[in-house]
PDB file of all heavy atoms in Angstrom:
ATOM      1  N   LYS A 247      86.715 107.743  73.453  1.00 98.00           N
ATOM      2  CA  LYS A 247      86.661 109.014  72.733  1.00 98.00           C
ATOM      3  C   LYS A 247      87.720 109.987  73.213  1.00 98.00           C
ATOM      4  O   LYS A 247      88.311 110.724  72.413  1.00 98.00           O
ATOM      5  CB  LYS A 247      85.280 109.651  72.873  1.00 98.00           C
ATOM      6  CG  LYS A 247      85.135 110.909  72.024  1.00 98.00           C
ATOM      7  CD  LYS A 247      83.732 111.457  72.041  1.00 98.00           C
ATOM      8  CE  LYS A 247      83.659 112.704  71.155  1.00 98.00           C
ATOM      9  NZ  LYS A 247      82.341 113.361  71.238  1.00 98.00           N
ATOM     10  N   ALA A 248      87.963 110.038  74.532  1.00 98.00           N
ATOM     11  CA  ALA A 248      88.939 110.992  75.053  1.00 98.00           C
ATOM     12  C   ALA A 248      89.385 110.559  76.445  1.00 98.00           C
ATOM     13  O   ALA A 248      88.717 109.765  77.107  1.00 98.00           O
ATOM     14  CB  ALA A 248      88.351 112.406  75.101  1.00 98.00           C
ATOM     15  N   ALA A 249      90.499 111.113  76.879  1.00 98.00           N
ATOM     16  CA  ALA A 249      91.027 110.795  78.207  1.00 98.00           C
ATOM     17  C   ALA A 249      91.591 112.044  78.856  1.00 98.00           C
ATOM     18  O   ALA A 249      92.138 112.924  78.188  1.00 98.00           O
ATOM     19  CB  ALA A 249      92.108 109.723  78.110  1.00 98.00           C
ATOM     20  N   MET A 250      91.447 112.095  80.163  1.00 99.00           N
ATOM     21  CA  MET A 250      92.039 113.154  80.983  1.00 99.00           C
ATOM     22  C   MET A 250      92.937 112.477  81.998  1.00 99.00           C
ATOM     23  O   MET A 250      92.470 111.668  82.809  1.00 99.00           O
ATOM     24  CB  MET A 250      90.945 113.936  81.700  1.00 99.00           C
ATOM     25  CG  MET A 250      91.467 115.121  82.493  1.00 99.00           C
ATOM     26  SD  MET A 250      91.873 116.496  81.411  1.00 99.00           S
ATOM     27  CE  MET A 250      93.014 117.405  82.442  1.00 99.00           C
ATOM     28  N   LEU A 251      94.230 112.753  81.951  1.00 98.00           N
ATOM     29  CA  LEU A 251      95.198 112.045  82.775  1.00 98.00           C
ATOM     30  C   LEU A 251      95.945 113.025  83.683  1.00 98.00           C
ATOM     31  O   LEU A 251      96.510 114.017  83.205  1.00 98.00           O
ATOM     32  CB  LEU A 251      96.208 111.299  81.892  1.00 98.00           C
ATOM     33  CG  LEU A 251      95.620 110.356  80.837  1.00 98.00           C
ATOM     34  CD1 LEU A 251      96.742 109.711  80.024  1.00 98.00           C
ATOM     35  CD2 LEU A 251      94.734 109.291  81.474  1.00 98.00           C
ATOM     36  N   ASP A 252      95.948 112.710  84.967  1.00 98.00           N
ATOM     37  CA  ASP A 252      96.665 113.540  85.937  1.00 98.00           C
ATOM     38  C   ASP A 252      97.878 112.820  86.509  1.00 98.00           C
ATOM     39  O   ASP A 252      98.746 113.454  87.103  1.00 98.00           O
ATOM     40  CB  ASP A 252      95.719 113.936  87.075  1.00 98.00           C
ATOM     41  CG  ASP A 252      96.371 114.876  88.078  1.00 98.00           C
ATOM     42  OD1 ASP A 252      96.805 115.969  87.649  1.00 98.00           O
ATOM     43  OD2 ASP A 252      96.456 114.528  89.277  1.00 98.00           O
ATOM     44  N   VAL A 253      97.936 111.503  86.346  1.00 98.00           N
ATOM     45  CA  VAL A 253      99.004 110.693  86.932  1.00 98.00           C
ATOM     46  C   VAL A 253      99.554 109.739  85.880  1.00 98.00           C
ATOM     47  O   VAL A 253      98.842 109.333  84.955  1.00 98.00           O
ATOM     48  CB  VAL A 253      98.491 109.906  88.152  1.00 98.00           C
ATOM     49  CG1 VAL A 253      98.201 110.840  89.314  1.00 98.00           C
ATOM     50  CG2 VAL A 253      97.232 109.110  87.797  1.00 98.00           C
ATOM     51  N   PHE A 254     100.829 109.360  86.054  1.00 98.00           N
ATOM     52  CA  PHE A 254     101.503 108.606  85.009  1.00 98.00           C
ATOM     53  C   PHE A 254     102.479 107.596  85.610  1.00 98.00           C
ATOM     54  O   PHE A 254     102.887 107.716  86.761  1.00 98.00           O
ATOM     55  CB  PHE A 254     102.248 109.575  84.077  1.00 98.00           C
ATOM     56  CG  PHE A 254     101.340 110.629  83.513  1.00 98.00           C
ATOM     57  CD1 PHE A 254     101.134 111.830  84.187  1.00 98.00           C
ATOM     58  CD2 PHE A 254     100.640 110.396  82.344  1.00 98.00           C
ATOM     59  CE1 PHE A 254     100.262 112.786  83.699  1.00 98.00           C
ATOM     60  CE2 PHE A 254      99.763 111.348  81.848  1.00 98.00           C
ATOM     61  CZ  PHE A 254      99.569 112.536  82.524  1.00 98.00           C
ATOM     62  N   ASN A 255     102.847 106.610  84.784  1.00 96.00           N
ATOM     63  CA  ASN A 255     103.797 105.601  85.240  1.00 96.00           C
ATOM     64  C   ASN A 255     105.141 106.221  85.582  1.00 96.00           C
ATOM     65  O   ASN A 255     105.810 105.798  86.522  1.00 96.00           O
ATOM     66  CB  ASN A 255     103.977 104.531  84.156  1.00 96.00           C
ATOM     67  CG  ASN A 255     102.853 103.525  84.155  1.00 96.00           C
ATOM     68  OD1 ASN A 255     102.727 102.731  85.081  1.00 96.00           O
ATOM     69  ND2 ASN A 255     102.009 103.554  83.140  1.00 96.00           N
ATOM     70  N   ARG A 256     105.545 107.212  84.808  1.00 97.00           N
ATOM     71  CA  ARG A 256     106.769 107.963  85.107  1.00 97.00           C
ATOM     72  C   ARG A 256     106.413 109.426  85.237  1.00 97.00           C
ATOM     73  O   ARG A 256     105.706 109.984  84.400  1.00 97.00           O
ATOM     74  CB  ARG A 256     107.812 107.778  83.990  1.00 97.00           C
ATOM     75  CG  ARG A 256     108.440 106.396  83.935  1.00 97.00           C
ATOM     76  CD  ARG A 256     109.465 106.335  82.808  1.00 97.00           C
ATOM     77  NE  ARG A 256     110.530 107.329  82.986  1.00 97.00           N
ATOM     78  CZ  ARG A 256     111.417 107.663  82.040  1.00 97.00           C
ATOM     79  NH1 ARG A 256     111.345 107.086  80.854  1.00 97.00           N
ATOM     80  NH2 ARG A 256     112.356 108.560  82.275  1.00 97.00           N
ATOM     81  N   GLU A 257     106.880 110.028  86.327  1.00 96.00           N
ATOM     82  CA  GLU A 257     106.616 111.446  86.552  1.00 96.00           C
ATOM     83  C   GLU A 257     107.909 112.157  86.914  1.00 96.00           C
ATOM     84  O   GLU A 257     108.662 111.648  87.748  1.00 96.00           O
ATOM     85  CB  GLU A 257     105.578 111.620  87.668  1.00 96.00           C
ATOM     86  CG  GLU A 257     104.217 111.066  87.303  1.00 96.00           C
ATOM     87  CD  GLU A 257     103.154 111.293  88.372  1.00 96.00           C
ATOM     88  OE1 GLU A 257     103.484 111.893  89.425  1.00 96.00           O
ATOM     89  OE2 GLU A 257     101.997 110.881  88.163  1.00 96.00           O
ATOM     90  N   PRO A 258     108.174 113.320  86.308  1.00 97.00           N
ATOM     91  CA  PRO A 258     107.412 113.975  85.252  1.00 97.00           C
ATOM     92  C   PRO A 258     107.291 113.089  84.000  1.00 97.00           C
ATOM     93  O   PRO A 258     108.177 112.266  83.735  1.00 97.00           O
ATOM     94  CB  PRO A 258     108.223 115.232  84.941  1.00 97.00           C
ATOM     95  CG  PRO A 258     109.073 115.461  86.146  1.00 97.00           C
ATOM     96  CD  PRO A 258     109.383 114.097  86.674  1.00 97.00           C
ATOM     97  N   LEU A 259     106.212 113.277  83.264  1.00 98.00           N
ATOM     98  CA  LEU A 259     106.004 112.511  82.051  1.00 98.00           C
ATOM     99  C   LEU A 259     107.105 112.844  81.044  1.00 98.00           C
ATOM    100  O   LEU A 259     107.305 114.017  80.706  1.00 98.00           O
ATOM    101  CB  LEU A 259     104.631 112.851  81.459  1.00 98.00           C
ATOM    102  CG  LEU A 259     104.214 112.066  80.219  1.00 98.00           C
ATOM    103  CD1 LEU A 259     104.048 110.588  80.542  1.00 98.00           C
ATOM    104  CD2 LEU A 259     102.906 112.629  79.648  1.00 98.00           C
ATOM    105  N   PRO A 260     107.849 111.826  80.560  1.00 98.00           N
ATOM    106  CA  PRO A 260     108.941 112.097  79.614  1.00 98.00           C
ATOM    107  C   PRO A 260     108.447 112.798  78.353  1.00 98.00           C
ATOM    108  O   PRO A 260     107.343 112.520  77.862  1.00 98.00           O
ATOM    109  CB  PRO A 260     109.477 110.697  79.296  1.00 98.00           C
ATOM    110  CG  PRO A 260     109.060 109.851  80.456  1.00 98.00           C
ATOM    111  CD  PRO A 260     107.740 110.399  80.908  1.00 98.00           C
ATOM    112  N   GLN A 261     109.252 113.694  77.838  1.00 97.00           N
ATOM    113  CA  GLN A 261     108.875 114.427  76.631  1.00 97.00           C
ATOM    114  C   GLN A 261     108.700 113.487  75.434  1.00 97.00           C
ATOM    115  O   GLN A 261     108.023 113.835  74.464  1.00 97.00           O
ATOM    116  CB  GLN A 261     109.933 115.482  76.307  1.00 97.00           C
ATOM    117  CG  GLN A 261     109.938 116.656  77.278  1.00 97.00           C
ATOM    118  CD  GLN A 261     108.620 117.417  77.267  1.00 97.00           C
ATOM    119  OE1 GLN A 261     108.100 117.764  76.212  1.00 97.00           O
ATOM    120  NE2 GLN A 261     108.075 117.666  78.450  1.00 97.00           N
ATOM    121  N   THR A 262     109.288 112.306  75.502  1.00 98.00           N
ATOM    122  CA  THR A 262     109.170 111.350  74.403  1.00 98.00           C
ATOM    123  C   THR A 262     107.869 110.548  74.451  1.00 98.00           C
ATOM    124  O   THR A 262     107.583 109.788  73.530  1.00 98.00           O
ATOM    125  CB  THR A 262     110.353 110.366  74.441  1.00 98.00           C
ATOM    126  OG1 THR A 262     110.413 109.753  75.748  1.00 98.00           O
ATOM    127  CG2 THR A 262     111.663 111.078  74.168  1.00 98.00           C
ATOM    128  N   SER A 263     107.084 110.707  75.503  1.00 98.00           N
ATOM    129  CA  SER A 263     105.849 109.929  75.625  1.00 98.00           C
ATOM    130  C   SER A 263     104.850 110.323  74.544  1.00 98.00           C
ATOM    131  O   SER A 263     104.594 111.517  74.318  1.00 98.00           O
ATOM    132  CB  SER A 263     105.207 110.151  76.993  1.00 98.00           C
ATOM    133  OG  SER A 263     103.913 109.575  77.030  1.00 98.00           O
ATOM    134  N   PRO A 264     104.231 109.343  73.875  1.00 98.00           N
ATOM    135  CA  PRO A 264     103.213 109.646  72.858  1.00 98.00           C
ATOM    136  C   PRO A 264     101.944 110.243  73.454  1.00 98.00           C
ATOM    137  O   PRO A 264     101.103 110.754  72.711  1.00 98.00           O
ATOM    138  CB  PRO A 264     102.943 108.283  72.218  1.00 98.00           C
ATOM    139  CG  PRO A 264     103.332 107.278  73.263  1.00 98.00           C
ATOM    140  CD  PRO A 264     104.479 107.896  73.996  1.00 98.00           C
ATOM    141  N   LEU A 265     101.799 110.181  74.779  1.00 98.00           N
ATOM    142  CA  LEU A 265     100.610 110.780  75.395  1.00 98.00           C
ATOM    143  C   LEU A 265     100.558 112.283  75.165  1.00 98.00           C
ATOM    144  O   LEU A 265      99.477 112.868  75.027  1.00 98.00           O
ATOM    145  CB  LEU A 265     100.604 110.490  76.902  1.00 98.00           C
ATOM    146  CG  LEU A 265     100.572 109.024  77.335  1.00 98.00           C
ATOM    147  CD1 LEU A 265     100.691 108.913  78.849  1.00 98.00           C
ATOM    148  CD2 LEU A 265      99.295 108.336  76.856  1.00 98.00           C
ATOM    149  N   TRP A 266     101.726 112.923  75.134  1.00 98.00           N
ATOM    150  CA  TRP A 266     101.775 114.375  74.946  1.00 98.00           C
ATOM    151  C   TRP A 266     101.107 114.812  73.640  1.00 98.00           C
ATOM    152  O   TRP A 266     100.407 115.824  73.598  1.00 98.00           O
ATOM    153  CB  TRP A 266     103.221 114.863  74.934  1.00 98.00           C
ATOM    154  CG  TRP A 266     103.908 114.959  76.250  1.00 98.00           C
ATOM    155  CD1 TRP A 266     104.975 114.217  76.677  1.00 98.00           C
ATOM    156  CD2 TRP A 266     103.614 115.859  77.328  1.00 98.00           C
ATOM    157  NE1 TRP A 266     105.355 114.589  77.946  1.00 98.00           N
ATOM    158  CE2 TRP A 266     104.546 115.602  78.375  1.00 98.00           C
ATOM    159  CE3 TRP A 266     102.660 116.863  77.514  1.00 98.00           C
ATOM    160  CZ2 TRP A 266     104.545 116.313  79.575  1.00 98.00           C
ATOM    161  CZ3 TRP A 266     102.659 117.563  78.711  1.00 98.00           C
ATOM    162  CH2 TRP A 266     103.593 117.294  79.725  1.00 98.00           C
ATOM    163  N   SER A 267     101.359 114.062  72.588  1.00 97.00           N
ATOM    164  CA  SER A 267     100.948 114.512  71.261  1.00 97.00           C
ATOM    165  C   SER A 267      99.598 113.981  70.811  1.00 97.00           C
ATOM    166  O   SER A 267      99.105 114.385  69.751  1.00 97.00           O
ATOM    167  CB  SER A 267     102.015 114.107  70.229  1.00 97.00           C
ATOM    168  OG  SER A 267     102.208 112.693  70.224  1.00 97.00           O
ATOM    169  N   HIS A 268      98.994 113.092  71.598  1.00 98.00           N
ATOM    170  CA  HIS A 268      97.708 112.552  71.144  1.00 98.00           C
ATOM    171  C   HIS A 268      96.631 113.633  71.239  1.00 98.00           C
ATOM    172  O   HIS A 268      96.452 114.251  72.296  1.00 98.00           O
ATOM    173  CB  HIS A 268      97.308 111.336  71.974  1.00 98.00           C
ATOM    174  CG  HIS A 268      96.284 110.485  71.284  1.00 98.00           C
ATOM    175  ND1 HIS A 268      94.958 110.864  71.162  1.00 98.00           N
ATOM    176  CD2 HIS A 268      96.394 109.292  70.656  1.00 98.00           C
ATOM    177  CE1 HIS A 268      94.299 109.934  70.506  1.00 98.00           C
ATOM    178  NE2 HIS A 268      95.154 108.961  70.179  1.00 98.00           N
ATOM    179  N   PRO A 269      95.876 113.860  70.162  1.00 96.00           N
ATOM    180  CA  PRO A 269      94.918 114.973  70.147  1.00 96.00           C
ATOM    181  C   PRO A 269      93.735 114.805  71.085  1.00 96.00           C
ATOM    182  O   PRO A 269      93.043 115.783  71.383  1.00 96.00           O
ATOM    183  CB  PRO A 269      94.452 115.011  68.682  1.00 96.00           C
ATOM    184  CG  PRO A 269      94.674 113.619  68.176  1.00 96.00           C
ATOM    185  CD  PRO A 269      95.907 113.132  68.866  1.00 96.00           C
ATOM    186  N   ARG A 270      93.486 113.587  71.564  1.00 98.00           N
ATOM    187  CA  ARG A 270      92.315 113.382  72.426  1.00 98.00           C
ATOM    188  C   ARG A 270      92.698 112.995  73.856  1.00 98.00           C
ATOM    189  O   ARG A 270      91.908 112.418  74.576  1.00 98.00           O
ATOM    190  CB  ARG A 270      91.386 112.352  71.780  1.00 98.00           C
ATOM    191  CG  ARG A 270      90.648 112.955  70.578  1.00 98.00           C
ATOM    192  CD  ARG A 270      89.678 112.004  69.908  1.00 98.00           C
ATOM    193  NE  ARG A 270      90.380 110.999  69.132  1.00 98.00           N
ATOM    194  CZ  ARG A 270      90.284 109.693  69.326  1.00 98.00           C
ATOM    195  NH1 ARG A 270      89.530 109.225  70.302  1.00 98.00           N
ATOM    196  NH2 ARG A 270      90.937 108.846  68.565  1.00 98.00           N
ATOM    197  N   ILE A 271      93.930 113.349  74.214  1.00 98.00           N
ATOM    198  CA  ILE A 271      94.365 113.185  75.601  1.00 98.00           C
ATOM    199  C   ILE A 271      94.721 114.554  76.161  1.00 98.00           C
ATOM    200  O   ILE A 271      95.493 115.302  75.562  1.00 98.00           O
ATOM    201  CB  ILE A 271      95.597 112.261  75.705  1.00 98.00           C
ATOM    202  CG1 ILE A 271      95.237 110.829  75.288  1.00 98.00           C
ATOM    203  CG2 ILE A 271      96.147 112.264  77.129  1.00 98.00           C
ATOM    204  CD1 ILE A 271      96.422 109.871  75.314  1.00 98.00           C
ATOM    205  N   ASP A 272      94.146 114.879  77.305  1.00 98.00           N
ATOM    206  CA  ASP A 272      94.531 116.088  78.033  1.00 98.00           C
ATOM    207  C   ASP A 272      95.320 115.673  79.271  1.00 98.00           C
ATOM    208  O   ASP A 272      95.058 114.616  79.868  1.00 98.00           O
ATOM    209  CB  ASP A 272      93.305 116.905  78.426  1.00 98.00           C
ATOM    210  CG  ASP A 272      92.698 117.623  77.230  1.00 98.00           C
ATOM    211  OD1 ASP A 272      93.472 118.203  76.439  1.00 98.00           O
ATOM    212  OD2 ASP A 272      91.460 117.608  77.067  1.00 98.00           O
ATOM    213  N   ILE A 273      96.257 116.521  79.660  1.00 98.00           N
ATOM    214  CA  ILE A 273      97.219 116.164  80.701  1.00 98.00           C
ATOM    215  C   ILE A 273      97.339 117.295  81.722  1.00 98.00           C
ATOM    216  O   ILE A 273      97.396 118.474  81.355  1.00 98.00           O
ATOM    217  CB  ILE A 273      98.601 115.886  80.066  1.00 98.00           C
ATOM    218  CG1 ILE A 273      98.575 114.550  79.304  1.00 98.00           C
ATOM    219  CG2 ILE A 273      99.718 115.902  81.110  1.00 98.00           C
ATOM    220  CD1 ILE A 273      99.819 114.298  78.472  1.00 98.00           C
ATOM    221  N   THR A 274      97.366 116.908  82.999  1.00 98.00           N
ATOM    222  CA  THR A 274      97.754 117.828  84.065  1.00 98.00           C
ATOM    223  C   THR A 274      98.858 117.160  84.882  1.00 98.00           C
ATOM    224  O   THR A 274      98.928 115.926  84.957  1.00 98.00           O
ATOM    225  CB  THR A 274      96.555 118.185  84.973  1.00 98.00           C
ATOM    226  OG1 THR A 274      95.900 116.979  85.410  1.00 98.00           O
ATOM    227  CG2 THR A 274      95.556 119.064  84.245  1.00 98.00           C
ATOM    228  N   PRO A 275      99.743 117.951  85.519  1.00 98.00           N
ATOM    229  CA  PRO A 275     100.947 117.393  86.169  1.00 98.00           C
ATOM    230  C   PRO A 275     100.733 116.974  87.618  1.00 98.00           C
ATOM    231  O   PRO A 275     101.348 117.514  88.535  1.00 98.00           O
ATOM    232  CB  PRO A 275     101.948 118.536  86.048  1.00 98.00           C
ATOM    233  CG  PRO A 275     101.084 119.770  86.147  1.00 98.00           C
ATOM    234  CD  PRO A 275      99.809 119.423  85.429  1.00 98.00           C
ATOM    235  N   HIS A 276      99.865 115.978  87.833  1.00 96.00           N
ATOM    236  CA  HIS A 276      99.604 115.418  89.163  1.00 96.00           C
ATOM    237  C   HIS A 276      99.177 116.519  90.139  1.00 96.00           C
ATOM    238  O   HIS A 276      99.751 116.690  91.223  1.00 96.00           O
ATOM    239  CB  HIS A 276     100.840 114.694  89.690  1.00 96.00           C
ATOM    240  CG  HIS A 276     100.513 113.643  90.715  1.00 96.00           C
ATOM    241  ND1 HIS A 276     101.187 112.451  90.830  1.00 96.00           N
ATOM    242  CD2 HIS A 276      99.556 113.601  91.691  1.00 96.00           C
ATOM    243  CE1 HIS A 276     100.681 111.728  91.812  1.00 96.00           C
ATOM    244  NE2 HIS A 276      99.679 112.416  92.361  1.00 96.00           N
ATOM    245  N   VAL A 277      98.120 117.228  89.747  1.00 97.00           N
ATOM    246  CA  VAL A 277      97.635 118.343  90.569  1.00 97.00           C
ATOM    247  C   VAL A 277      96.156 118.216  90.910  1.00 97.00           C
ATOM    248  O   VAL A 277      95.562 119.162  91.426  1.00 97.00           O
ATOM    249  CB  VAL A 277      97.881 119.698  89.859  1.00 97.00           C
ATOM    250  CG1 VAL A 277      99.367 119.969  89.719  1.00 97.00           C
ATOM    251  CG2 VAL A 277      97.186 119.740  88.484  1.00 97.00           C
TER     252      VAL A 277
END
Side-chain angles (χ1 to χ4, degrees):
K247 186 174 181 186
M250 184 77 202
L251 307 179
D252 184 59
V253 290
F254 305 89
N255 280 291
R256 289 181 59 193
E257 295 183 0
L259 184 65
Q261 289 298 311
T262 55
S263 171
L265 299 175
W266 283 114
S267 59
H268 200 286
R270 286 182 286 121
I271 294 178
D272 286 316
I273 288 171
T274 51
H276 204 144
V277 295

